[in-house]
Amino acid sequence: MSSRTPYKVLCVCLGNICRSPTAEVVFRHYCDAQQLNIWVDSAGTSNYHPGKAPDARSQQHALQRGYDLSALRARQLTTRDFLDFDLILAMDQENLQNIQHLKHHAAEEYGAELLRAKVALMSEHDPQYPRHEVPDPYYGEADGFERVLDQCESSAQAWINILKTELA
Ligand code: 4NP
């Protein structure tokens, strides 16, 4: 990994305990596999679960595919994140709207010219799930957690193909 400042990606869902921690670890896995200088983090639009580890079901399903989520802790998205990150990825349309709303507050707080973050859907470039939402698995069954992993793997690879060219 080079010492250049990394490109910074933030994955965002509602609670930061199911979808976005999964997206974070999957995204990082593909960045590391291609030795890309990309920093990955995650956050939630809500403050429902601050400091909590990812949902046990998310951890269990992820581990079956070799992804370890155990060290992650939930946090809420803040206006500062729009200064710090280059790309903020929403898991669904409601998250996208809430992120855009907070971005307006960040612009008022810091000045629009200081904001770095572009905001997009996780599935923006995904050929398999084009602009599909990553469905919230929290109140569902095991297949919902597998679906999150399937979509995160597919969407992360699609983003990495785009970023590889942009960052080259
Ligand atoms: P996430 O899932 O947004 O993928 O982390 C949820 C986690 C918690 C809740 C909703 C969705 N909740 O209502 O507590």
Side-chain angles (χ1 to χ4, degrees), residues 11 16-26 28 40-43 49-55 58-59 62 67-75:
C11 302
N16 193 211
I17 57 167
C18 296
R19 291 166 292 177
S20 61
T22 303
E24 174 187 340
V25 170
V26 168
R28 185 179 298 123
V40 191
D41 194 7
S42 65
H49 303 281
K52 282 250 199 82
D55 186 286
S58 291
Q59 291 199 49
Y67 305 113
D68 183 359
L69 271 53
S70 62
L72 305 188
R73 296 295 177 264
R75 71 169 180 91

Side-chain angles (χ1 to χ4, degrees), residues 1 4-12 24 27-28 31 36-42 75 77-78 80-89 115-120 159 163 166-167:
M1 189 66 92
R4 282 179 297 118
T5 310
Y7 185 86
K8 294 179 78 173
V9 176
L10 184 65
C11 302
V12 175
E24 174 187 340
F27 210 110
R28 185 179 298 123
C31 288
L36 298 174
N37 190 23
I38 298 177
W39 168 266
V40 191
D41 194 7
S42 65
R75 71 169 180 91
L77 181 68
T78 69
R80 273 211 65 85
D81 288 319
F82 295 90
L83 304 176
D84 292 341
F85 286 86
D86 296 287
L87 181 61
I88 297 182
L89 296 178
L115 306 190
R116 280 169 63 184
K118 190 169 94 177
V119 179
W159 266 111
L163 294 177
E166 268 184 32
L167 301 179

Side-chain angles (χ1 to χ4, degrees), residues 13-21 48-49 95 136-139:
C13 63
L14 175 63
N16 193 211
I17 57 167
C18 296
R19 291 166 292 177
S20 61
Y48 294 163
H49 303 281
N95 303 149
D136 184 350
Y138 190 67
Y139 293 107

